[in-house]
Amino acid sequence: MYLKAVILAGGFATRLRPLSCSRPKALFPIVNKPLLQWIFEGLAANEITEVILAVNALTQFHIKQQKPPKCGLKIKYAIDPPKTPLGTAGAIKITEKIAKYEEPFIVLNGDIFTEVNYKQLMDTHVKTGALATIALHKVEDPSRYGVAELEKGNRIKNFIEKPTKEQAPTNLINAGIYVLDPKIFNYIPIDRQCSIEREIFPALAKEHKLFGHINEGLWMDIGTPIEYLRTNKIILDKLKEKNNLKTPKNLEIKKPVAIDKKVTIGEKTIIGPYTVLGKNVTIGDRVQIHNSIIFPDTKIGDNTKINGAIIGENAIIGKNVQINNGCIIADQAKIKDNINLTNEFAVCPAKEVSETILKRNVIC
């Protein structure tokens, strides 16, 4: 079977702003590797041969600029119309002519980190004769997701998109991964916005053609800064046994950490735990960085402390700066010397902060 997959990556990642002002969510680094590369690796390991990226034109530009490894996959693009975004089902619809599906195919959201077994998911779909099969995952609070109520044989009796916690019939949520039969295109209207979660899945459930497959493996949504940091922490824990960093004199590394190529670190500096340093990062003397992600090419001055923050690409952080929990400093921003930022402070791309601000704020 020649297996194909569609990656839905046309969203604007509004909850990850201001970091997403200058990159799509699919290119956010997870332990110094773009999320899209992690997805490609997972698909290739499960015998997928062709991937269609359903994206907007700007996301296509960013992906082609960054050139994440294709992992042996054949890559094609389906571009969402700029003036009339077509929604999740509409985005799948425009891949129909490009991919020319003859067999069931996989669809997944481009903002999730998962170790789902795509072959098992496909086997479940084929055995049940479903028109659509949804990978399901158990969570504590299902209110942010589509929720499935299963009946005998894992047929989905009811599918509700983002119910309140009290109204959710189960804690089994749509994991954003599906197997679809090509007949699905008969259900998706042409040239109008259509949501597969709000329109197509509920209709299929009523027709008894929607099935579920419970995923017990790793699954994480990186849709918010907290979730993004948490995902990196979990992956750091998984990789820490393989991390054999040699610590230079006068430098303390508290594992787990991930340090990319050509990183320069000054004396008496403490890195970690749960810290990711991107390529070409430069760090001064007596710096402390904990529970944080530092994107590539950023410079951090002497005596600076960063804890629980995300620092974007090519940012400049001055000397004697303190950046605390929940702060986000976007690409090419500049924080001058002797500044204290706290309480989920955010700085938009290429902006400068020249005074201490101790209340929650956004500098744009």
Side-chain angles (χ1 to χ4, degrees), residues 161-172:
E161 182 65 13
K162 296 182 181 177
T164 64
K165 194 172 183 179
E166 294 72 27
Q167 291 175 329
T170 71
N171 66 341
L172 285 172

Side-chain angles (χ1 to χ4, degrees), residues 73-357:
L73 298 166
K74 184 177 181 180
I75 308 296
K76 296 180 179 178
Y77 289 88
I79 309 301
D80 214 15
K83 294 183 180 180
T84 55
L86 297 176
T88 49
I92 295 168
K93 182 75 171 178
I94 62 175
T95 73
E96 183 180 10
K97 292 181 180 179
I98 297 169
K100 300 177 181 177
Y101 304 104
E102 296 179 356
E103 304 283 351
F105 60 99
I106 291 168
V107 176
L108 63 153
N109 291 340
D111 59 357
I112 54 173
F113 188 100
T114 181
E115 293 179 349
V116 67
N117 189 312
Y118 297 104
K119 289 189 287 187
Q120 288 182 1
L121 179 62
M122 182 66 75
D123 288 344
T124 297
H125 177 84
V126 173
K127 287 177 183 177
T128 60
L131 193 62
T133 302
I134 305 175
L136 303 173
H137 190 77
K138 294 179 181 178
V139 297
E140 290 185 9
D141 181 6
S143 60
R144 287 176 43 204
Y145 307 96
V147 180
E149 183 179 4
L150 293 180
E151 57 183 5
K152 188 176 180 180
N154 281 345
R155 180 182 281 114
I156 295 178
K157 176 183 177 182
N158 199 12
F159 185 86
I160 307 169
E161 182 65 13
K162 296 182 181 177
T164 64
K165 194 172 183 179
E166 294 72 27
Q167 291 175 329
T170 71
N171 66 341
L172 285 172
I173 61 112
N174 171 12
I177 305 167
Y178 326 120
V179 178
L180 304 178
D181 188 274
K183 293 177 183 176
I184 195 74
F185 293 111
N186 297 330
Y187 289 76
I188 304 174
I190 300 173
D191 297 331
R192 80 159 173 87
Q193 191 173 61
C194 180
S195 166
I196 197 166
E197 302 88 352
R198 296 183 183 277
E199 295 185 53
I200 309 302
F201 286 160
L204 293 179
K206 289 180 181 179
E207 295 182 14
H208 310 294
K209 297 178 180 178
L210 186 65
F211 284 74
H213 174 88
I214 298 176
N215 172 45
E216 302 288 354
L218 184 66
W219 182 91
M220 289 169 286
D221 177 357
I222 70 156
T224 68
I226 291 173
E227 290 165 337
Y228 176 58
L229 281 167
R230 177 174 170 267
T231 299
N232 277 271
K233 285 184 178 181
I234 290 171
I235 303 306
L236 281 171
D237 272 332
K238 288 174 69 69
L239 297 176
K240 65 182 176 183
E241 297 304 324
K242 300 178 182 179
N243 192 337
N244 297 315
L245 289 170
K246 293 182 179 179
T247 305
K249 293 180 180 180
N250 299 320
L251 171 64
E252 185 175 356
I253 299 290
K254 296 183 177 181
K255 297 180 180 180
V257 300
I259 300 177
D260 210 337
K261 299 176 182 177
K262 299 182 180 179
V263 172
T264 303
I265 304 175
E267 294 187 350
K268 298 181 181 179
T269 285
I270 301 172
I271 304 296
Y274 297 107
T275 296
V276 179
L277 303 180
K279 191 180 296 184
N280 299 321
V281 165
T282 301
I283 298 171
D285 297 334
R286 297 174 299 280
V287 172
Q288 297 180 33
I289 306 177
H290 316 293
N291 304 312
S292 298
I293 301 171
I294 314 298
F295 282 41
D297 298 301
T298 281
K299 294 178 173 59
I300 299 170
D302 298 342
N303 299 303
T304 284
K305 296 180 180 180
I306 300 172
N307 183 30
I310 308 171
I311 313 296
E313 195 167 348
N314 273 301
I316 297 176
I317 312 299
K319 298 178 181 178
N320 301 303
V321 171
Q322 290 194 40
I323 301 176
N324 296 309
N325 283 330
C327 289
I328 300 174
I329 312 301
D331 296 356
Q332 299 178 348
K334 183 176 182 180
I335 312 300
K336 289 199 167 183
D337 297 346
N338 306 307
I339 300 296
N340 187 357
L341 303 179
T342 188
N343 296 325
E344 300 181 357
F345 191 88
V347 182
C348 288
K351 296 297 179 179
E352 183 176 292
V353 179
S354 56
E355 61 181 359
T356 289
I357 301 175

